[in-house]
PDB file of all heavy atoms in Angstrom:
ATOM      1  N   ARG A 139       0.407  -9.162 -10.013  1.00  0.00           N
ATOM      2  CA  ARG A 139       0.958 -10.524  -9.997  1.00  0.00           C
ATOM      3  C   ARG A 139       0.073 -11.449 -10.832  1.00  0.00           C
ATOM      4  O   ARG A 139       0.546 -12.223 -11.648  1.00  0.00           O
ATOM      5  CB  ARG A 139       1.025 -11.049  -8.551  1.00  0.00           C
ATOM      6  CG  ARG A 139       2.011 -10.286  -7.681  1.00  0.00           C
ATOM      7  CD  ARG A 139       1.876 -10.735  -6.228  1.00  0.00           C
ATOM      8  NE  ARG A 139       2.645  -9.915  -5.317  1.00  0.00           N
ATOM      9  CZ  ARG A 139       3.819 -10.259  -4.785  1.00  0.00           C
ATOM     10  NH1 ARG A 139       4.354 -11.417  -5.067  1.00  0.00           N
ATOM     11  NH2 ARG A 139       4.437  -9.452  -3.957  1.00  0.00           N
ATOM     12  N   GLN A 140      -1.253 -11.314 -10.623  1.00  0.00           N
ATOM     13  CA  GLN A 140      -2.207 -12.223 -11.285  1.00  0.00           C
ATOM     14  C   GLN A 140      -2.298 -11.990 -12.795  1.00  0.00           C
ATOM     15  O   GLN A 140      -2.303 -12.933 -13.569  1.00  0.00           O
ATOM     16  CB  GLN A 140      -3.576 -12.018 -10.638  1.00  0.00           C
ATOM     17  CG  GLN A 140      -4.610 -13.037 -11.059  1.00  0.00           C
ATOM     18  CD  GLN A 140      -5.952 -12.795 -10.369  1.00  0.00           C
ATOM     19  OE1 GLN A 140      -6.064 -11.974  -9.446  1.00  0.00           O
ATOM     20  NE2 GLN A 140      -6.975 -13.497 -10.803  1.00  0.00           N
ATOM     21  N   TYR A 141      -2.379 -10.719 -13.204  1.00  0.00           N
ATOM     22  CA  TYR A 141      -2.648 -10.439 -14.627  1.00  0.00           C
ATOM     23  C   TYR A 141      -1.386 -10.091 -15.416  1.00  0.00           C
ATOM     24  O   TYR A 141      -1.431 -10.027 -16.636  1.00  0.00           O
ATOM     25  CB  TYR A 141      -3.652  -9.284 -14.767  1.00  0.00           C
ATOM     26  CG  TYR A 141      -4.953  -9.529 -14.031  1.00  0.00           C
ATOM     27  CD1 TYR A 141      -5.434  -8.608 -13.099  1.00  0.00           C
ATOM     28  CD2 TYR A 141      -5.699 -10.690 -14.264  1.00  0.00           C
ATOM     29  CE1 TYR A 141      -6.620  -8.837 -12.410  1.00  0.00           C
ATOM     30  CE2 TYR A 141      -6.883 -10.922 -13.574  1.00  0.00           C
ATOM     31  CZ  TYR A 141      -7.336  -9.994 -12.647  1.00  0.00           C
ATOM     32  OH  TYR A 141      -8.500 -10.227 -11.971  1.00  0.00           O
ATOM     33  N   HIS A 142      -0.297  -9.818 -14.748  1.00  0.00           N
ATOM     34  CA  HIS A 142       0.915  -9.394 -15.463  1.00  0.00           C
ATOM     35  C   HIS A 142       2.141 -10.213 -15.069  1.00  0.00           C
ATOM     36  O   HIS A 142       3.265  -9.828 -15.378  1.00  0.00           O
ATOM     37  CB  HIS A 142       1.177  -7.893 -15.227  1.00  0.00           C
ATOM     38  CG  HIS A 142       0.020  -7.029 -15.653  1.00  0.00           C
ATOM     39  ND1 HIS A 142      -0.123  -6.570 -16.948  1.00  0.00           N
ATOM     40  CD2 HIS A 142      -1.080  -6.602 -14.972  1.00  0.00           C
ATOM     41  CE1 HIS A 142      -1.261  -5.876 -17.025  1.00  0.00           C
ATOM     42  NE2 HIS A 142      -1.852  -5.879 -15.848  1.00  0.00           N
ATOM     43  N   GLY A 143       1.899 -11.304 -14.368  1.00  0.00           N
ATOM     44  CA  GLY A 143       2.990 -12.238 -14.065  1.00  0.00           C
ATOM     45  C   GLY A 143       4.097 -11.672 -13.197  1.00  0.00           C
ATOM     46  O   GLY A 143       5.235 -12.138 -13.266  1.00  0.00           O
ATOM     47  N   GLU A 144       3.779 -10.683 -12.380  1.00  0.00           N
ATOM     48  CA  GLU A 144       4.847 -10.125 -11.536  1.00  0.00           C
ATOM     49  C   GLU A 144       5.233 -11.066 -10.413  1.00  0.00           C
ATOM     50  O   GLU A 144       4.374 -11.706  -9.808  1.00  0.00           O
ATOM     51  CB  GLU A 144       4.386  -8.796 -10.925  1.00  0.00           C
ATOM     52  CG  GLU A 144       4.678  -7.677 -11.857  1.00  0.00           C
ATOM     53  CD  GLU A 144       4.506  -6.314 -11.212  1.00  0.00           C
ATOM     54  OE1 GLU A 144       4.703  -6.169  -9.989  1.00  0.00           O
ATOM     55  OE2 GLU A 144       4.158  -5.404 -11.956  1.00  0.00           O
ATOM     56  N   THR A 145       6.505 -11.117 -10.140  1.00  0.00           N
ATOM     57  CA  THR A 145       7.010 -11.982  -9.068  1.00  0.00           C
ATOM     58  C   THR A 145       7.722 -11.114  -8.025  1.00  0.00           C
ATOM     59  O   THR A 145       7.926  -9.913  -8.234  1.00  0.00           O
ATOM     60  CB  THR A 145       8.049 -12.972  -9.634  1.00  0.00           C
ATOM     61  OG1 THR A 145       9.177 -12.192 -10.080  1.00  0.00           O
ATOM     62  CG2 THR A 145       7.492 -13.777 -10.797  1.00  0.00           C
ATOM     63  N   ASP A 146       8.139 -11.771  -6.965  1.00  0.00           N
ATOM     64  CA  ASP A 146       8.854 -11.018  -5.932  1.00  0.00           C
ATOM     65  C   ASP A 146      10.232 -10.560  -6.402  1.00  0.00           C
ATOM     66  O   ASP A 146      10.755  -9.572  -5.880  1.00  0.00           O
ATOM     67  CB  ASP A 146       8.919 -11.836  -4.634  1.00  0.00           C
ATOM     68  CG  ASP A 146       7.562 -11.822  -3.971  1.00  0.00           C
ATOM     69  OD1 ASP A 146       7.138 -10.744  -3.535  1.00  0.00           O
ATOM     70  OD2 ASP A 146       6.905 -12.871  -3.938  1.00  0.00           O
ATOM     71  N   SER A 147      10.794 -11.236  -7.390  1.00  0.00           N
ATOM     72  CA  SER A 147      12.076 -10.757  -7.940  1.00  0.00           C
ATOM     73  C   SER A 147      11.858  -9.442  -8.690  1.00  0.00           C
ATOM     74  O   SER A 147      12.669  -8.514  -8.587  1.00  0.00           O
ATOM     75  CB  SER A 147      12.694 -11.772  -8.900  1.00  0.00           C
ATOM     76  OG  SER A 147      12.802 -12.994  -8.260  1.00  0.00           O
ATOM     77  N   HIS A 148      10.751  -9.353  -9.444  1.00  0.00           N
ATOM     78  CA  HIS A 148      10.426  -8.066 -10.089  1.00  0.00           C
ATOM     79  C   HIS A 148      10.260  -6.997  -9.005  1.00  0.00           C
ATOM     80  O   HIS A 148      10.760  -5.879  -9.132  1.00  0.00           O
ATOM     81  CB  HIS A 148       9.118  -8.139 -10.884  1.00  0.00           C
ATOM     82  CG  HIS A 148       9.161  -9.057 -12.064  1.00  0.00           C
ATOM     83  ND1 HIS A 148       8.322 -10.144 -12.187  1.00  0.00           N
ATOM     84  CD2 HIS A 148       9.925  -9.055 -13.165  1.00  0.00           C
ATOM     85  CE1 HIS A 148       8.590 -10.761 -13.324  1.00  0.00           C
ATOM     86  NE2 HIS A 148       9.554 -10.123 -13.935  1.00  0.00           N
ATOM     87  N   CYS A 149       9.514  -7.368  -7.976  1.00  0.00           N
ATOM     88  CA  CYS A 149       9.256  -6.392  -6.900  1.00  0.00           C
ATOM     89  C   CYS A 149      10.569  -5.909  -6.310  1.00  0.00           C
ATOM     90  O   CYS A 149      10.745  -4.719  -6.038  1.00  0.00           O
ATOM     91  CB  CYS A 149       8.418  -7.021  -5.783  1.00  0.00           C
ATOM     92  SG  CYS A 149       6.754  -7.436  -6.298  1.00  0.00           S
ATOM     93  N   ASN A 150      11.488  -6.827  -6.115  1.00  0.00           N
ATOM     94  CA  ASN A 150      12.783  -6.468  -5.521  1.00  0.00           C
ATOM     95  C   ASN A 150      13.480  -5.390  -6.359  1.00  0.00           C
ATOM     96  O   ASN A 150      13.973  -4.395  -5.819  1.00  0.00           O
ATOM     97  CB  ASN A 150      13.646  -7.732  -5.416  1.00  0.00           C
ATOM     98  CG  ASN A 150      15.048  -7.424  -4.933  1.00  0.00           C
ATOM     99  OD1 ASN A 150      15.976  -7.325  -5.731  1.00  0.00           O
ATOM    100  ND2 ASN A 150      15.207  -7.227  -3.646  1.00  0.00           N
ATOM    101  N   ARG A 151      13.470  -5.575  -7.677  1.00  0.00           N
ATOM    102  CA  ARG A 151      14.141  -4.582  -8.538  1.00  0.00           C
ATOM    103  C   ARG A 151      13.402  -3.241  -8.496  1.00  0.00           C
ATOM    104  O   ARG A 151      14.006  -2.170  -8.464  1.00  0.00           O
ATOM    105  CB  ARG A 151      14.235  -5.105  -9.974  1.00  0.00           C
ATOM    106  CG  ARG A 151      15.225  -6.269 -10.103  1.00  0.00           C
ATOM    107  CD  ARG A 151      15.540  -6.566 -11.558  1.00  0.00           C
ATOM    108  NE  ARG A 151      14.460  -7.252 -12.244  1.00  0.00           N
ATOM    109  CZ  ARG A 151      14.240  -8.569 -12.202  1.00  0.00           C
ATOM    110  NH1 ARG A 151      15.037  -9.339 -11.489  1.00  0.00           N
ATOM    111  NH2 ARG A 151      13.241  -9.111 -12.862  1.00  0.00           N
ATOM    112  N   LYS A 152      12.082  -3.303  -8.494  1.00  0.00           N
ATOM    113  CA  LYS A 152      11.293  -2.067  -8.469  1.00  0.00           C
ATOM    114  C   LYS A 152      11.511  -1.309  -7.144  1.00  0.00           C
ATOM    115  O   LYS A 152      11.623  -0.078  -7.123  1.00  0.00           O
ATOM    116  CB  LYS A 152       9.804  -2.385  -8.634  1.00  0.00           C
ATOM    117  CG  LYS A 152       9.450  -2.920 -10.008  1.00  0.00           C
ATOM    118  CD  LYS A 152       7.962  -3.212 -10.115  1.00  0.00           C
ATOM    119  CE  LYS A 152       7.656  -3.785 -11.489  1.00  0.00           C
ATOM    120  NZ  LYS A 152       6.246  -3.627 -11.856  1.00  0.00           N
ATOM    121  N   ILE A 153      11.527  -2.054  -6.070  1.00  0.00           N
ATOM    122  CA  ILE A 153      11.680  -1.420  -4.747  1.00  0.00           C
ATOM    123  C   ILE A 153      13.024  -0.701  -4.667  1.00  0.00           C
ATOM    124  O   ILE A 153      13.121   0.439  -4.200  1.00  0.00           O
ATOM    125  CB  ILE A 153      11.534  -2.484  -3.627  1.00  0.00           C
ATOM    126  CG1 ILE A 153      10.072  -2.955  -3.554  1.00  0.00           C
ATOM    127  CG2 ILE A 153      12.013  -1.954  -2.279  1.00  0.00           C
ATOM    128  CD1 ILE A 153       9.852  -4.222  -2.743  1.00  0.00           C
ATOM    129  N   LYS A 154      14.048  -1.367  -5.180  1.00  0.00           N
ATOM    130  CA  LYS A 154      15.395  -0.769  -5.153  1.00  0.00           C
ATOM    131  C   LYS A 154      15.409   0.526  -5.980  1.00  0.00           C
ATOM    132  O   LYS A 154      15.910   1.554  -5.524  1.00  0.00           O
ATOM    133  CB  LYS A 154      16.373  -1.806  -5.727  1.00  0.00           C
ATOM    134  CG  LYS A 154      17.802  -1.479  -5.558  1.00  0.00           C
ATOM    135  CD  LYS A 154      18.328  -1.906  -4.178  1.00  0.00           C
ATOM    136  CE  LYS A 154      19.796  -1.573  -4.008  1.00  0.00           C
ATOM    137  NZ  LYS A 154      20.076  -0.204  -3.606  1.00  0.00           N
ATOM    138  N   LEU A 155      14.811   0.465  -7.175  1.00  0.00           N
ATOM    139  CA  LEU A 155      14.777   1.662  -8.035  1.00  0.00           C
ATOM    140  C   LEU A 155      14.003   2.792  -7.364  1.00  0.00           C
ATOM    141  O   LEU A 155      14.420   3.956  -7.397  1.00  0.00           O
ATOM    142  CB  LEU A 155      14.071   1.337  -9.361  1.00  0.00           C
ATOM    143  CG  LEU A 155      14.926   0.844 -10.522  1.00  0.00           C
ATOM    144  CD1 LEU A 155      14.033   0.550 -11.715  1.00  0.00           C
ATOM    145  CD2 LEU A 155      15.964   1.902 -10.901  1.00  0.00           C
ATOM    146  N   ALA A 156      12.860   2.439  -6.779  1.00  0.00           N
ATOM    147  CA  ALA A 156      12.041   3.462  -6.107  1.00  0.00           C
ATOM    148  C   ALA A 156      12.860   4.133  -5.000  1.00  0.00           C
ATOM    149  O   ALA A 156      12.910   5.369  -4.903  1.00  0.00           O
ATOM    150  CB  ALA A 156      10.777   2.826  -5.525  1.00  0.00           C
ATOM    151  N   LEU A 157      13.514   3.338  -4.197  1.00  0.00           N
ATOM    152  CA  LEU A 157      14.289   3.901  -3.079  1.00  0.00           C
ATOM    153  C   LEU A 157      15.426   4.779  -3.589  1.00  0.00           C
ATOM    154  O   LEU A 157      15.701   5.839  -3.028  1.00  0.00           O
ATOM    155  CB  LEU A 157      14.845   2.769  -2.199  1.00  0.00           C
ATOM    156  CG  LEU A 157      13.796   2.012  -1.382  1.00  0.00           C
ATOM    157  CD1 LEU A 157      14.409   0.755  -0.784  1.00  0.00           C
ATOM    158  CD2 LEU A 157      13.203   2.890  -0.282  1.00  0.00           C
ATOM    159  N   ASP A 158      16.053   4.346  -4.677  1.00  0.00           N
ATOM    160  CA  ASP A 158      17.153   5.151  -5.242  1.00  0.00           C
ATOM    161  C   ASP A 158      16.668   6.533  -5.668  1.00  0.00           C
ATOM    162  O   ASP A 158      17.441   7.483  -5.729  1.00  0.00           O
ATOM    163  CB  ASP A 158      17.767   4.442  -6.458  1.00  0.00           C
ATOM    164  CG  ASP A 158      18.606   3.237  -6.038  1.00  0.00           C
ATOM    165  OD1 ASP A 158      18.897   3.103  -4.833  1.00  0.00           O
ATOM    166  OD2 ASP A 158      18.956   2.421  -6.923  1.00  0.00           O
ATOM    167  N   LYS A 159      15.380   6.624  -6.016  1.00  0.00           N
ATOM    168  CA  LYS A 159      14.835   7.918  -6.464  1.00  0.00           C
ATOM    169  C   LYS A 159      14.114   8.654  -5.341  1.00  0.00           C
ATOM    170  O   LYS A 159      13.378   9.619  -5.566  1.00  0.00           O
ATOM    171  CB  LYS A 159      13.854   7.706  -7.626  1.00  0.00           C
ATOM    172  CG  LYS A 159      14.511   7.130  -8.866  1.00  0.00           C
ATOM    173  CD  LYS A 159      15.510   8.112  -9.459  1.00  0.00           C
ATOM    174  CE  LYS A 159      16.385   7.440 -10.499  1.00  0.00           C
ATOM    175  NZ  LYS A 159      17.509   8.254 -10.910  1.00  0.00           N
ATOM    176  N   GLY A 160      14.216   8.157  -4.137  1.00  0.00           N
ATOM    177  CA  GLY A 160      13.585   8.850  -3.011  1.00  0.00           C
ATOM    178  C   GLY A 160      12.082   8.648  -2.941  1.00  0.00           C
ATOM    179  O   GLY A 160      11.364   9.420  -2.285  1.00  0.00           O
ATOM    180  N   LEU A 161      11.592   7.606  -3.614  1.00  0.00           N
ATOM    181  CA  LEU A 161      10.150   7.312  -3.585  1.00  0.00           C
ATOM    182  C   LEU A 161       9.871   6.277  -2.494  1.00  0.00           C
ATOM    183  O   LEU A 161      10.729   5.435  -2.205  1.00  0.00           O
ATOM    184  CB  LEU A 161       9.702   6.738  -4.934  1.00  0.00           C
ATOM    185  CG  LEU A 161       9.938   7.622  -6.159  1.00  0.00           C
ATOM    186  CD1 LEU A 161       9.808   6.796  -7.441  1.00  0.00           C
ATOM    187  CD2 LEU A 161       8.936   8.778  -6.173  1.00  0.00           C
ATOM    188  N   ILE A 162       8.662   6.310  -1.944  1.00  0.00           N
ATOM    189  CA  ILE A 162       8.301   5.298  -0.942  1.00  0.00           C
ATOM    190  C   ILE A 162       7.676   4.101  -1.660  1.00  0.00           C
ATOM    191  O   ILE A 162       6.628   4.240  -2.308  1.00  0.00           O
ATOM    192  CB  ILE A 162       7.274   5.856   0.076  1.00  0.00           C
ATOM    193  CG1 ILE A 162       7.851   7.069   0.799  1.00  0.00           C
ATOM    194  CG2 ILE A 162       6.844   4.769   1.061  1.00  0.00           C
ATOM    195  CD1 ILE A 162       6.842   7.770   1.718  1.00  0.00           C
TER     196      ILE A 162
END
Side-chain angles (χ1 to χ4, degrees):
R139 294 172 188 258
Q140 189 179 351
Y141 304 125
H142 302 273
E144 273 191 30
T145 65
D146 285 294
S147 306
H148 295 120
C149 293
N150 175 261
R151 290 193 285 277
K152 292 180 182 201
I153 290 166
K154 190 84 180 83
L155 269 179
L157 290 168
D158 287 348
K159 296 294 167 191
L161 301 165
I162 300 174

